[in-house]
Amino acid sequence: SSAEAQPMYVNSPYGIAFAHNGNLTNSLELQADLFKEDMRHVNTGSDSEVLLNVFAHELQELGADRPEAEQIFKAVEEVHRRCSGGYAGIALIMGAGIVGFRDPLGIRPLIYGKKETASGVDYMLASESVALDALGYERIRDVKPGEAVFISNDGQIDTAICAEKTRLIPCIFEYVYLARPDSIIDQVSVYKARLRMGEH
């Protein structure tokens, strides 16, 4: 339904808009915990809304008036502790900036880049490199498994690994049919990966 269209949004603690690619394998359990323990209500059956509310709750628990990189990374660390599955998310935190994070196994892709403009350097996070290319952004690199990238409102960029055990185990379906052929995921050309799989 239209209620499940992204971005998802919560207004507590700061106002957070959230976009998500992936699947949580413990979504029902998390939804129950959010209601009973965290006192948060989820309005849809979307695991994107569940993931958003877990992140928002963990950020709220830190009690910062305006969250900075360290607090945001701590909240992402708790997201990784609570959530199971493959996911990459991007959150716009009102008054603070944008954070992107990738699950500890790097199952779902996430990349970031930059572009020089008349007003300074702009940054962009996306699930595929072609989104950056189309808008004239230079690729910086893929977000690592378990890593978070925070871009503050004043253009400061910080990164941190927010999970104890990380390992790159990307989803084969991104290479088989989800990604555009001209994308590059984890420094691998999707087009060339498809050719090699066909040859094999």
Side-chain angles (χ1 to χ4, degrees), residues 14-76:
Y14 310 102
I16 303 171
F18 185 72
H20 161 236
N21 170 26
N23 299 94
L24 297 182
T25 55
N26 63 339
S27 182
L28 294 177
E29 174 190 324
L30 283 171
Q31 190 167 345
D33 287 348
L34 282 166
F35 185 74
K36 292 176 186 173
E37 306 295 330
D38 302 344
M39 292 186 244
R40 283 183 168 265
H41 181 71
V42 176
N43 297 300
T44 70
S46 171
D47 59 353
S48 300
E49 188 183 11
V50 170
L51 185 54
L52 166 58
N53 275 278
V54 170
F55 175 67
H57 172 76
E58 296 303 337
L59 207 50
Q60 188 169 18
E61 287 291 287
L62 297 170
D65 289 336
R66 179 170 293 179
E68 296 183 0
E70 189 176 329
Q71 287 101 11
I72 291 165
F73 294 152
K74 179 63 179 167
V76 172

Side-chain angles (χ1 to χ4, degrees), residues 98-121:
I98 293 177
V99 62
F101 55 88
R102 193 175 181 189
D103 67 80
L105 297 178
I107 296 170
R108 296 296 184 189
L110 187 62
I111 191 167
Y112 67 107
K114 66 179 180 179
K115 178 168 70 171
E116 299 286 343
T117 69
S119 57
V121 179

